[in-house]
Amino acid sequence: MSGFRTLDDVDVKGKRVLLRVDLNVPMDNGRVSDTTRLQRIAKTIIELSQAGGKVVILAHFGRPKGPDPKDSLKPVATALGYVLLRHVEFAPDCVGEIAERAVAGLKNGEILCLENTRFHPGEEKNDPAFVAQLAKLGDIWVNDAFSCAHRAHASTEGLGRVLPGYAGRTMEAELDALGKALEQPVHPVIAIVGGSKVSSKIDLLENLVSKVDALVIGGGMANTFLHAQGVDVGKSLCEKDLAATALRILVKANSTNCAIILPVDAVVAEKFEANAPSQACGLDAIPADGMILDVGPQSIKRIDAAIDDAATLVWNGPLGAFEMSPFDRGTVQAAKYAAARTKAGKLVSVAGGGDTVAALNHAGVGKDFTYVSTAGGAFLEWMEGKPLPGVEVLRVR
């Protein structure tokens, strides 16, 4: 983390700290139904509060087109108070007289949550005038929302250009884990990339083949690669128009000495539904009316062997239709194997993306990986090798 400014570099006592966090939590009948994200940001909030900072929380919620009660952060602020075991004040706007008066009333160590930043169009436009309105409320800016760092919005990037900016502890942990995974990893490095479509992960695959020693391709996207190599994948999900793209990635992998690990067998069914009759078969025996819904047992053995050879693992995307039994078997077995290697101290394992987190939790190993990122788009763009605006603005210059 020597390349970034962190909370170790600032004394916050008596300072108004604009703290950008991710409060996009699931709601059920107006109440927060999962506090995982709130628990993750608690460490930074409590540290700032205990150090005597006046903590002013900035966040967005949903995709409102203007002020909308259903997207208010008020119930989230209440839930955050329960997680922190501290009172969290709430202001019904994030700029203007209401916000300014609320911030002015804060004592050292107190916590205030401002209303949804996206109630103002200047947030997503990164409008300098809106940035200035926000900046009036703080002395320093702390970004603890890696999941929003791929967006150059007013509260996620703009503030870092007009106020001294620092990484919060959650952001720091994320950058540290990601650095160990791809920036300064211990080799050999293996990446597991799954999901349904190659089209959504072309940049990701092209970046990874130049950075990792082995790349496992699973899920529906593997079918496109198999089709490109002449395998008849039946009625499986397959982007046949991307065959040339798949071949180009294979050629690039060969030139960078990255081993591509594709399925050698598959679990096939005639219907895309839970507990549909299925069979494992070789790639030369896929029925014309069959759909590949998971990797087969021989493929799982190959993936486990590749994990055995690795010192570092980066994972994004499931290997099959993990939401439905029995097509979750490949993802679950590989996840458990990676988790066991991690717990034995033989593997640094970093995973991220919504489906990936759900799959690892489904396998019961979400807490056994070295680091699991809850960020979706930001994690994917980082894996693609793209600079993240909300991170770049925190670099020591």
Side-chain angles (χ1 to χ4, degrees):
M1 285 298 298
S2 59
F4 298 94
R5 296 184 299 274
T6 72
L7 296 184
D8 295 328
D9 302 314
V10 62
D11 179 3
V12 302
K13 186 174 182 179
K15 289 186 171 67
R16 299 169 302 162
V17 182
L18 291 179
L19 174 62
R20 183 47 157 101
V21 296
D22 184 353
L23 295 183
N24 258 310
V25 293
M27 304 288 288
D28 184 15
N29 292 322
R31 302 187 68 175
V32 175
S33 58
D34 185 341
T35 62
T36 302
R37 275 190 166 154
L38 304 185
Q39 291 165 8
R40 281 205 167 189
I41 62 174
K43 182 177 180 180
T44 297
I45 297 172
I46 290 172
E47 179 178 340
L48 291 170
S49 173
Q50 289 180 339
K54 300 173 182 179
V55 186
V56 182
I57 294 172
L58 295 172
H60 76 274
F61 187 82
R63 298 180 180 274
K65 300 302 180 185
D68 190 333
K70 72 177 178 60
D71 289 320
S72 173
L73 283 173
K74 187 171 184 178
V76 184
T78 301
L80 180 61
Y82 290 130
V83 170
L84 298 173
L85 299 177
R86 292 163 185 252
H87 178 65
V88 175
E89 295 279 352
F90 181 76
D93 203 347
C94 64
V95 290
E97 184 180 346
I98 291 174
E100 290 170 21
R101 192 164 56 243
V103 172
L106 286 177
K107 297 183 177 68
N108 290 359
E110 291 186 336
I111 303 165
L112 167 69
C113 179
L114 300 182
E115 184 57 284
N116 195 336
T117 56
R118 287 192 181 175
F119 281 1
H120 296 267
E123 163 70 348
E124 293 183 80
K125 293 177 181 177
N126 205 357
D127 180 1
F130 184 66
V131 172
Q133 283 186 289
L134 290 173
K136 284 176 64 177
L137 305 174
D139 301 305
I140 66 171
W141 173 70
V142 175
N143 192 355
D144 212 28
F146 177 82
S147 55
C148 307
H150 58 312
R151 300 187 177 105
H153 291 175
S155 66
T156 62
E157 191 267 354
L159 282 171
R161 298 188 178 277
V162 297
L163 290 176
Y166 305 88
R169 295 307 185 195
T170 310
M171 173 75 82
E172 182 181 353
E174 189 102 28
L175 295 177
D176 184 56
L178 300 185
K180 290 176 181 176
L182 277 188
E183 302 305 323
Q184 306 93 27
V186 178
H187 286 267
V189 182
I190 179 177
I192 296 177
V193 178
S196 58
K197 294 183 177 182
V198 172
S199 55
S200 63
K201 297 190 177 180
I202 293 173
D203 291 346
L204 169 61
L205 296 171
E206 292 196 327
N207 183 51
L208 287 178
V209 295
S210 64
K211 289 196 169 186
V212 304
D213 302 290
L215 173 60
V216 174
I217 300 176
M221 61 194 307
N223 302 335
T224 300
F225 281 84
L226 295 175
H227 164 74
Q229 294 181 314
V231 175
D232 185 349
V233 296
K235 293 184 177 180
S236 306
L237 176 65
C238 179
E239 296 173 289
K240 295 183 178 180
D241 58 320
L242 289 181
T245 300
L247 291 175
R248 185 182 75 236
I249 292 170
L250 292 174
V251 169
K252 183 176 181 181
N254 185 60
S255 69
T256 58
N257 293 315
C258 171
I260 299 292
I261 300 172
L262 288 166
V264 292
D265 60 348
V267 175
V268 179
E270 292 183 9
K271 295 181 179 179
F272 185 69
E273 59 184 42
N275 300 310
S278 61
Q279 61 178 328
C281 58
L283 298 180
D284 59 348
I286 297 171
D289 58 352
M291 289 182 287
I292 298 174
L293 296 179
D294 196 11
V295 293
Q298 295 305 313
S299 299
I300 295 171
K301 288 181 180 179
R302 289 191 73 202
I303 294 168
D304 288 351
I307 292 172
D308 271 335
D309 292 337
T312 304
L313 165 67
V314 186
W315 191 330
N316 175 258
L319 297 171
F322 79 98
E323 308 95 332
M324 300 185 297
S325 178
F327 310 114
D328 58 346
R329 188 170 298 148
T331 300
V332 168
Q333 290 190 17
K336 287 184 174 179
Y337 196 80
R341 295 281 296 176
T342 302
K343 290 177 75 174
K346 297 177 180 179
L347 185 70
V348 172
S349 53
V350 176
D355 283 348
T356 314
V357 175
L360 296 184
N361 288 338
H362 173 68
V365 297
K367 296 182 179 179
D368 296 330
F369 272 50
T370 305
Y371 192 84
V372 177
S373 172
T374 57
F379 183 83
L380 192 59
E381 289 196 21
W382 170 80
M383 286 186 71
E384 291 170 350
K386 297 176 180 177
L388 307 182
V391 170
E392 292 303 306
V393 77
L394 297 171
R395 289 190 184 276
V396 174
R397 303 196 185 281

